[in-house]
Amino acid sequence: MPNNAVVTFVGAGPGSADLITVRGLRAIGQADCILYDALIDEELLTYAPNALKIAVGKRAGKASTEQVFINRLLVSSAQRHSRVVRLKGGDPSIFGRLEEEMAALDAAGIEYAVVPGVTSACAAAATIKRPLTQRGVSRRVLFATPTTGRNVAQPNEALDDLSPQHADTLALYMAGRDRSSIARRLIEQGWAASTPVALVWNAGAIDAISETGTLASVAWAEARNSDAPLMILVGESVATERGAAIEQAAREAQTFAAAQAS
Amino acid sequence: MPNNAVVTFVGAGPGSADLITVRGLRAIGQADCILYDALIDEELLTYAPNALKIAVGKRAGKASTEQVFINRLLVSSAQRHSRVVRLKGGDPSIFGRLEEEMAALDAAGIEYAVVPGVTSACAAAATIKRPLTQRGVSRRVLFATPTTGRNVAQPNEALDDLSPQHADTLALYMAGRDRSSIARRLIEQGWAASTPVALVWNAGAIDAISETGTLASVAWAEARNSDAPLMILVGESVATERGAAIEQAAREAQTFAAAQAS
């Protein structure tokens, strides 16, 4: 797949080295230069023992300047090496600043390919063993982030016009900074205070932590202070109180067994 | 991770065996029984030479009955085997009927775990080398499907209240059946006829095919008849006409080089 490409953008998946795809791991093994983000599990770098490895994590408040620097570094690396991997957390197409780096490569006439990855919302759902969609309940999932390019929380703008008429499940990326104002804003827009919420830190990792509750109970709960990336999932499908669904499944199983026996 | 679980739901990723995660592949290798969906790349099954393999693909029009049958089969497999893998296309938490199967396992008191996968929207974006989000342009991505549980296209319901005020990028799963009515419905709800659209068949696979255009040009174009799964991506971030972005990147690179030299 990435055979003609000089640069391969690779989604590393979130939290844990073994959530990368087989195709992504192969690209790492073939790379002679790897540019990697701050949140990557560095175990992945051991699969490319001979590659030049360059950390390009962004620091808060200087994101824009540093993106131009990363773009330049990516282009110059591609001019010096024949197989460059640009390793990004999660999936590169979702909140991964892919466009800026692709445009820089296009401007320099450099070929590239993309290997998709597991995005954090899916890893968070897997961590709490709940789906993001549910037949007859949740058919529309919206991914958003209250964090801007400069890492400034602006929940009001990101969450404008987001009533339950427009989406059934919300997955809010990089949402750690201003949790209670996010919950308040959603309630103002028509989400019931009883809407189930899951907070998942370090989704996909061995040390993932989650808290579940409702928009009312989670938001103003004592803040868990953590620098770990936080995913907030909102909506009926992430509810952990599921007595009725389990009872219905038990009834269906009995009906099925009776029909088989007759 | 899935060590205590009898059943592990594994996202196979879309289109190609090498888009599974390393963790998912390991679970397959350890399985003694695998229940797999119709769209799975069967190459994955070769990694479990000694496991019992059961195809549980659903046929159109009988989805609901068959889901109860699958639930029952999953439970009885977990009662007979110690490591069951339930292999689903893409990511299990997105349009994967995970809730029904989890509820059946809960009702039977069987432990399970989930290994997330690459969802088709991310693979489709990678196939066309475009992001789903873009700084300052696309900050909200909505995943929806016009297909109901019974595989009946109902684009009007699924696309209700989906104006560009509510989402910047749309990823429409299983959208092959009634393309032109989907496009018409979006235009009626305020999406410009010039909004970029990408149609991606077999996202993630070697034989992936894509067509790009706009809501106006793509929708009523001569239909490509294919049984391959179709992902429709809608929004400015999937535009393939990117002259301005590339020119800006070239200017930024020059400015950066000049600043370095001075």
Side-chain angles (χ1 to χ4, degrees), chain A residues 1 16-26 64-65 67-69 71-72 91-100 102-104 106-107 111-119 121-123 125-127 129-135 138-149 154 157-162 165-167 204-206 237 242 245-247 249-250 252-253 256-257 260, chain B residues 1 16-26 64-65 67-69 71-72 91-100 102-104 106-107 111-119 121-123 125-127 129-135 138-149 154 157-162 165-167 204-206 237 242 245-247 249-250 252-253 256-257 260:
Chain A
M1 201 73 96
S16 183
D18 66 355
L19 285 182
I20 197 169
T21 63
V22 172
R23 190 186 297 177
L25 195 62
R26 192 188 309 130
S64 162
T65 314
Q67 187 62 53
V68 178
F69 177 74
N71 296 350
R72 183 63 212 149
D91 176 70
S93 79
I94 296 182
F95 304 121
R97 298 289 196 86
L98 197 55
E99 172 57 19
E100 286 100 320
M102 284 179 165
D106 283 328
E111 296 271 330
Y112 53 84
V114 186
V115 178
V118 172
T119 191
C122 298
T127 295
K129 301 182 191 178
R130 300 298 306 136
L132 297 173
T133 66
Q134 191 173 333
R135 193 159 57 107
S138 304
R139 290 175 61 195
R140 309 204 283 198
V141 184
L142 190 127
F143 292 7
T145 178
T147 301
T148 67
Q154 294 187 326
E157 182 192 333
L159 304 178
D160 274 356
D161 296 312
L162 266 195
Q165 277 72 52
H166 308 127
I206 286 289
S237 73
R242 298 162 50 242
I246 296 167
E247 279 167 31
E252 282 178 353
F256 185 87
Q260 294 289 92
Chain B
M1 202 76 79
S16 184
D18 66 354
L19 286 183
I20 198 170
T21 63
V22 171
R23 189 186 298 176
L25 195 62
R26 191 187 309 129
S64 162
T65 314
Q67 186 63 54
V68 177
F69 178 73
N71 297 349
R72 183 62 212 150
D91 176 70
S93 78
I94 296 182
F95 305 121
R97 298 287 196 89
L98 197 54
E99 173 56 19
E100 285 100 322
M102 283 178 166
D106 283 328
E111 296 270 328
Y112 52 85
V114 186
V115 178
V118 172
T119 190
C122 297
T127 295
K129 301 181 192 179
R130 301 298 306 136
L132 297 172
T133 66
Q134 190 174 332
R135 192 159 57 107
S138 304
R139 290 175 60 196
R140 306 204 284 197
V141 184
L142 190 128
F143 292 6
T145 177
T147 301
T148 67
Q154 294 186 326
E157 182 193 332
L159 304 179
D160 272 358
D161 295 313
L162 266 196
Q165 276 72 53
H166 309 127
I206 286 289
S237 73
R242 298 162 51 242
I246 297 167
E247 280 167 31
E252 282 178 353
F256 186 87
Q260 295 289 92

Side-chain angles (χ1 to χ4, degrees), chain B residues 105-254:
Chain B
L105 293 173
D106 283 328
I110 295 166
E111 296 270 328
Y112 52 85
V114 186
V115 178
V118 172
T119 190
S120 300
C122 297
T127 295
I128 61 167
K129 301 181 192 179
R130 301 298 306 136
L132 297 172
T133 66
Q134 190 174 332
R135 192 159 57 107
V137 175
S138 304
R139 290 175 60 196
R140 306 204 284 197
V141 184
L142 190 128
F143 292 6
T145 177
T147 301
T148 67
R150 292 180 180 278
N151 288 342
V152 176
Q154 294 186 326
N156 290 354
E157 182 193 332
L159 304 179
D160 272 358
D161 295 313
L162 266 196
S163 83
Q165 276 72 53
H166 309 127
D168 304 305
T169 307
L170 304 179
L172 303 178
Y173 284 65
M174 302 169 277
R177 294 222 172 173
D178 202 2
R179 228 160 81 197
S180 62
S181 90
I182 290 170
R184 203 160 45 230
R185 182 78 183 126
L186 290 176
I187 290 170
E188 281 167 11
Q189 302 211 45
W191 293 79
S194 59
T195 307
V197 172
L199 307 179
V200 186
W201 287 267
N202 276 334
I206 286 289
D207 59 351
I209 295 171
S210 64
E211 281 182 19
T212 56
T214 66
L215 275 180
S217 71
V218 157
W220 290 277
E222 191 175 331
R224 178 187 292 273
N225 288 315
S226 170
D227 287 336
L230 169 61
M231 171 67 57
I232 301 185
L233 303 177
V234 179
E236 291 301 328
S237 73
V238 304
T240 47
E241 296 290 333
R242 298 162 51 242
I246 297 167
E247 280 167 31
Q248 189 191 329
R251 278 195 304 275
E252 282 178 353
Q254 282 182 333

